[in-house]
Amino acid sequence: MSSNPHLKRVSRQTWHFDQNVRLQSSAVAVGPKEGEGPLASLFDVIHDDMYAGQNTWENAERQLLEDAVSAALKKAGTTGSEVDAILAGDLLNQNITTNFTAEKLEIPLLGMYGACSTSMLTLATAAALVNAGYANRAIAACSSHNATAERQYRYPTEYGGQKPPTAQWTVTGAGAGLVGIGGTGPRITYATMGKVVDMGIKDPLDMGSAMAPAAVSTFLAHFQDTGRKPQDYDLIVTGDLASVGYPIVKELMLAEGYDMDQVYNDCGLMIYTPDQDVFAGGSGCASSAVVTYSHIVDQLNRGLLKKVLVCATGALLSPVSTQQGNSIPCIAHAVALEGGQ
């Protein structure tokens, strides 16, 4: 790491934000299963059915994203006309949830895709735009929906196909954060952008094993670039490795000399209780977004956490690539959040 505290580009992968960039507000909207989980009291909008009052699941996902963005704007006491850009993504073909939602919000759009890593991909890029002065305020957002993702990547929910214990439950929800200079929200201090990692895993129902090495790659880059170590953080989370990938990360990081046992958790394990029948745990880009923009931000704002590293993990597969026998390339992007003034 350079000795210059104002250097924005620490390395090819890590950016330092030196302009007091903050997450000025954030909000989440979720479906019924998430509303029954342990973090429910912190959610801004909870829909009691998977359709969210709409006629299709895809329209329901748009409603979730619109709810999250609108709630984040309301908390900040502002409107979309005072926001320079929305950086958002989802899991559906051509980012249709993002595109339709942005059209309704009338905010300039940068549509982004990082699979389940999209939450931190958008947050890091929004922070970079604000830090560099290309935007005064920007929204980072993403969404996923269990039923739309099942239809997109596996089988329609109505099919009722049997799943192995390694499978995960796509989170039905959306999260949005408003990024700007100053204010009282958590500071966004560093972002480490991941490289694509492919360990040759081909099973689309074992995302935890496929994504864990990508998370490790990003963690190693972050610690080496910043000079920090796991114990410098009160909490480190991955996005959706769940019960399969979570222990793999701990084991691989320990082999590299980094003991993360006391500070590490996974959003896919935090959003549901063990008795909610979600297989190995939560997944989807809403997994990290919902936990970060509710629970983690709340803990930082209340001073219960001082420094948090959120590493959102994503499997860059498609039905076509899987059907053609390709292995699953993965990526992970990490953002450091710090509480206090």
Side-chain angles (χ1 to χ4, degrees), residues 173-191:
L178 180 65
V179 179
I181 300 293
T184 60
R187 285 179 295 135
I188 305 170
T189 55
Y190 287 98

Side-chain angles (χ1 to χ4, degrees), residues 15 17 21-23 83 85-88 110 112 118-141 177-181 188 191 193 293 335:
W15 307 333
F17 306 118
V21 180
R22 291 184 180 260
L23 191 55
V83 175
I86 178 170
L87 296 84
L110 280 77
M112 309 188 79
T118 300
S119 65
M120 293 303 109
L121 173 63
T122 55
L123 183 58
T125 310
L129 290 177
V130 169
N131 194 78
Y134 292 110
N136 291 320
R137 298 175 110 178
I139 290 173
L178 180 65
V179 179
I181 300 293
I188 305 170
M193 313 309 291
Y293 291 139
V335 174

Side-chain angles (χ1 to χ4, degrees), residues 48 70 126 134 138 148 164 192 197 214 230 239 250 269 300 312 331-332:
D48 59 8
S70 298
Y134 292 110
T148 67
T192 299
V197 176
K250 290 202 295 183
L269 297 175
L300 286 165
I331 199 164

Side-chain angles (χ1 to χ4, degrees), residues 1-21 124 127-132 181 187-193 222 225-228 233 307 334-336 338:
M1 178 177 160
S2 169
S3 60
N4 182 352
H6 300 293
L7 186 66
K8 294 180 175 66
R9 182 180 183 271
V10 179
S11 75
R12 288 197 304 161
Q13 289 185 251
T14 298
W15 307 333
H16 175 227
F17 306 118
D18 62 346
Q19 296 296 317
N20 193 25
V21 180
L129 290 177
V130 169
N131 194 78
I181 300 293
R187 285 179 295 135
I188 305 170
T189 55
Y190 287 98
T192 299
M193 313 309 291
H222 179 80
D225 290 346
T226 62
R228 294 182 173 184
Y233 290 99
K307 291 183 179 181
V335 174
E338 300 185 13

